[in-house]
Amino acid sequence: ETGVTQSPTHLIKTRGQQVTLRCSSQSGHNTVSWYQQALGQGPQFIFQYYREEENGRGNFPPRFSGLQFPNYSSELNVNALELDDSALYLCASSLPGGASTEAFFGQGTRLTVV
Amino acid sequence: RKEVEQDPGPFNVPEGATVAFNCTYSNSASQSFFWYRQDCRKEPKLLMSVYSSGNEDGRFTAQLNRASQYISLLIRDSKLSDSATYLCVVNGWGRDDKIIFGKGTRLHILP
């Protein structure tokens, strides 16, 4: 397997609630990226963390925030959940840049907002 | 222009046929290119990296054309198990660049 694990695997929340998704990256990979994948779409880049600092952000509102910890784990927090936030959330760990920067994905957290 | 564009398909191809996908990217500074495969309701998994000189892995061949800013994936002698969504992935250089996915091309291999 990839060495990247996410929790929980499935989650149901109510509109307006807050959620925290967790990711344990592959050891030694100091870059973690989070993606949102709606049904039938490709993964959309949310943000990237490098050495515990946000290092790039996609077109997502501020209610999407994150943290990265020294032990290669990270979190995605979403406040004020909306129905459209229902999606598969993927984290991927990688080395920064380089000619062979493969992203290793976790199995994802499927979030349903009702 | 979108950062990474793919034909969403679906491509419906008979078993044993050859099929090819293209993907275009907008950032000429992009350095790394990959094809990922994603099965229904699963996470994406690396299929192959794409090198400047082109590369082959069994029935799969990947090509990069920097001048025209596209990459391609060729699948020969397609199998039923090749049915999946194929995601084109482009990565920049250095820690400030990010990995961008295309929306994927759906492939259905027909028996």
Side-chain angles (χ1 to χ4, degrees), chain A residues 38-59:
Chain A
L39 202 60
Q41 300 292 316
Q44 296 294 306
F45 176 74
I46 302 175
F47 44 57
Q48 177 175 284
Y49 278 78
Y50 172 72
R51 291 186 175 177
E52 301 160 49
E53 292 187 4
E54 188 177 294
N55 185 33
R57 190 176 184 92
N59 189 26

Side-chain angles (χ1 to χ4, degrees), chain A residues 35 37 39 41-43 45 48 50 55 88 90 94 96-103 105-107 110, chain B residues 32 34 36 38 41-46 87 91-104:
Chain A
Y35 295 83
Q37 187 174 24
L39 202 60
Q41 300 292 316
F45 176 74
Q48 177 175 284
Y50 172 72
N55 185 33
L88 178 68
L90 297 160
S94 61
S100 59
T101 305
E102 176 184 351
F105 283 86
Q107 81 283 11
R110 191 164 297 279
Chain B
S32 307
F34 308 89
Y36 276 72
Q38 187 172 27
R41 302 181 76 82
K42 299 284 189 178
E43 75 277 18
K45 292 185 178 178
L46 180 68
L87 298 162
N91 191 16
W93 180 267
R95 70 182 187 91
D96 293 326
D97 282 290
K98 53 188 182 289
I99 299 170
I100 300 295
F101 283 78
K103 291 189 174 183

Side-chain angles (χ1 to χ4, degrees), chain A residues 44-89:
Chain A
Q44 296 294 306
F45 176 74
I46 302 175
F47 44 57
Q48 177 175 284
Y49 278 78
Y50 172 72
R51 291 186 175 177
E52 301 160 49
E53 292 187 4
E54 188 177 294
N55 185 33
R57 190 176 184 92
N59 189 26
F60 280 81
R63 60 189 183 84
F64 286 78
S65 63
L67 287 170
Q68 185 186 26
F69 303 102
N71 64 352
Y72 304 111
S73 66
S74 63
E75 292 180 354
L76 165 64
N77 298 290
V78 187
N79 294 322
L81 283 167
E82 299 177 1
L83 297 179
D84 285 349
D85 296 334
S86 296
L88 178 68
Y89 288 85

Side-chain angles (χ1 to χ4, degrees), chain B residues 6 16-17 22 24 29-30 46-48 51 56 67-68 77-78 84 86 94 105 111:
Chain B
Q6 294 182 251
N22 278 346
T24 59
S30 299
L46 180 68
L47 177 66
M48 59 195 305
Y51 303 126
E56 187 174 311
S68 300
D77 187 24
S78 54
Y86 291 84
T105 297

